[in-house]
C-alpha cells in the first residue's frame, strides 16, 4: 500500500511556535513548527467545543512529570494538547488526532493520519470542558492534575 503525501508549504513559510491551518486529503489540520525546526500536524477540530480553531491556539510547552512537552492550547477553553500525539495533556483519552509529517527539500508534506481524533459527546462538552480546563490550569501552574 503506498502512502499519499500532500505538499502543504515551504518550511520557511512556517513561523516557529505558530500554527497554520491546512486541508489534507479532505481533513482540516493545524501545522506547527517548533523552535527546534520539527514540524507536527494535529487535527484542527477542538473536541471540547466542536469547532475548527486549533490553528488559532497558542503554541508553547508544559512540564508533565518533570519533562517538557510541546503543546498547542485551545483558543476556546485553553486545554493543552501535545503536538506530537494530539492528546490532551490533562485528559489523554481526548485528542485532536495526529498526522505523519516529513520535510523534503524544504517542503512540508503531510501524510496519513497516525492517531485518530477522540472527542467528547456533545451533551457532555460544556461540563467536560470546564473540568478539563481546570485540570489544565492546575497542570500548567504545577498543581495536581
Amino acid at each position: 500500500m503506498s502512502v499519499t503525501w500532500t505538499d502543504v508549504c515551504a518550511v520557511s513559510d512556517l513561523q516557529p511556535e505558530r500554527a497554520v491551518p491546512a486541508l489534507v486529503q479532505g481533513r482540516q489540520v493545524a501545522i506547527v513548527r517548533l523552535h527546534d525546526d520539527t514540524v507536527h500536524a494535529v487535527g484542527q477540530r477542538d473536541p471540547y467545543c466542536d469547532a475548527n480553531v486549533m490553528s488559532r491556539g497558542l503554541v508553547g510547552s508544559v512540564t508533565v512529570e518533570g519533562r517538557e512537552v510541546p503543546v498547542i492550547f485551545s483558543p476556546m477553553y485553553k486545554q493543552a494538547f501535545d503536538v506530537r500525539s494530539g492528546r490532551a495533556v490533562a485528559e489523554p483519552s481526548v485528542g485532536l488526532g495526529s498526522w505523519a509529517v516529513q520535510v523534503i527539500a524544504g517542503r512540508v508534506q503531510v501524510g496519513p493520519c497516525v492517531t485518530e481524533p477522540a472527542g467528547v459527546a456533545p451533551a457532555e462538552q460544556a461540563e467536560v470542558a470546564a473540568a478539563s480546563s481546570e485540570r489544565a490550569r492546575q497542570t500548567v501552574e504545577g498543581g495536581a492534575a
Side-chain angles (χ1 to χ4, degrees):
M1 179 177 164
S2 69
V3 175
T4 301
W5 293 91
T6 301
D7 186 77
V8 176
C9 64
V11 72
S12 61
D13 291 338
L14 300 174
Q15 294 182 22
E17 307 293 316
R18 302 273 188 217
V20 298
L23 187 62
V24 176
Q25 299 172 20
R27 296 178 82 176
Q28 293 187 39
V29 298
I31 310 294
V32 178
R33 176 183 172 195
L34 300 177
H35 280 299
D36 66 3
D37 284 332
T38 58
V39 181
H40 302 276
V42 295
Q44 174 75 329
R45 182 186 150 278
D46 180 338
Y48 292 99
C49 68
D50 199 27
N52 290 311
V53 296
M54 291 309 298
S55 63
R56 293 180 174 213
L58 296 175
V59 176
S61 63
V62 296
T63 301
V64 177
E65 297 177 0
R67 295 189 327 193
E68 191 171 311
V69 175
V71 297
I72 186 167
F73 291 94
S74 164
M76 301 300 287
Y77 295 117
K78 313 305 184 239
Q79 286 86 5
F81 294 88
D82 186 328
V83 298
R84 300 165 302 180
S85 66
R87 294 285 174 205
V89 171
E91 191 171 9
S93 63
V94 177
L96 304 171
S98 64
W99 278 255
V101 175
Q102 63 183 12
V103 177
I104 304 290
R107 301 287 304 171
V108 175
Q109 298 177 348
V110 179
C113 182
V114 175
T115 307
E116 286 292 332
V120 294
E124 300 169 338
Q125 284 178 351
E127 181 180 322
V128 170
S132 181
S133 184
E134 177 60 20
R135 283 192 302 273
R137 184 190 62 76
Q138 289 175 351
T139 300
V140 170
E141 292 177 356

